[in-house]
């Protein structure tokens, strides 16, 4: 793999991290779920050991959430390319909601390239405070 190809994968995966936050804040749940591979899985920062598996189940979990206004700020995004079809990543997250103190946490991601492009194979959040 060339440096240019590696950088392209890093950019594609970092874009997923940012797009996830933007779509989540916009309440576009079908679009958020579409960022996962069909068999992808997620664990929310508030429950990092409770997995929701499969794109349909992920969409159902988002649709079941009570409505709220949020603003996610993601930074310190580092993507490690494992191959031309796999990568991992870590990012810091700051979540603002209309109530309470901001939450600080992180995401640990596994990415896969499928026919539709790069998607989350696994997205695991955790809260620092």
């Amino acid at each position: 793999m060339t440096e240019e190809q590696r950088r392209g994968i890093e950019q594609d995966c970092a874009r997923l991290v940012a797009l996830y936050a933007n779509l989540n804040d916009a309440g576009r749940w079908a679009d958020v779920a579409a960022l996962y591979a069909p068999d992808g899985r997620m664990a929310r920062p508030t429950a990092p050991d409770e997995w929701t598996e499969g794109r349909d189940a992920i969409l159902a979990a988002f649709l079941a959430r009570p409505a709220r206004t949020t603003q996610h700020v993601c930074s310190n995004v580092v993507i490690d390319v494992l191959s031309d079809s796999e990568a991992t990543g870590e990012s810091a997250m700051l979540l603002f909601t209309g109530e309470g103190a901001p939450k600080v946490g992180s995401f640990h991601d596994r990415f896969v390239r499928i026919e539709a492009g790069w998607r989350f194979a696994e997205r695991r959040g955790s809260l620092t405070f």
Side-chain angles (χ1 to χ4, degrees), residues 29-42 52-63 112 114-120:
W29 307 128
D31 294 329
V32 172
L35 298 178
Y36 284 88
D39 60 349
R41 64 188 204 151
M42 75 164 193
T52 301
E53 301 196 27
R55 189 184 284 161
D56 292 339
I58 290 168
L59 176 57
F62 278 111
L63 290 171
V112 292
I114 62 174
E115 221 174 283
W118 285 94
R119 297 293 184 267
F120 291 104

Side-chain angles (χ1 to χ4, degrees), residues 20-109:
Y20 187 96
N22 293 346
L23 293 171
N24 192 323
D25 292 335
R28 293 173 50 187
W29 307 128
D31 294 329
V32 172
L35 298 178
Y36 284 88
D39 60 349
R41 64 188 204 151
M42 75 164 193
R44 289 190 170 134
T46 55
D49 296 320
E50 295 177 22
W51 292 99
T52 301
E53 301 196 27
R55 189 184 284 161
D56 292 339
I58 290 168
L59 176 57
F62 278 111
L63 290 171
R65 295 173 96 172
R68 65 182 185 162
T69 300
T70 63
Q71 181 66 60
H72 291 79
V73 179
C74 296
S75 67
N76 304 353
V77 179
V78 176
I79 306 298
D80 293 312
V81 178
L82 305 177
S83 71
D84 64 352
S85 61
E86 291 182 281
T88 60
E90 183 176 350
S91 58
M93 178 268 307
L94 180 59
L95 172 62
F96 296 93
T97 62
E99 64 268 352
K103 292 179 174 63
V104 176
S106 61
F107 283 101
H108 296 266
D109 301 313

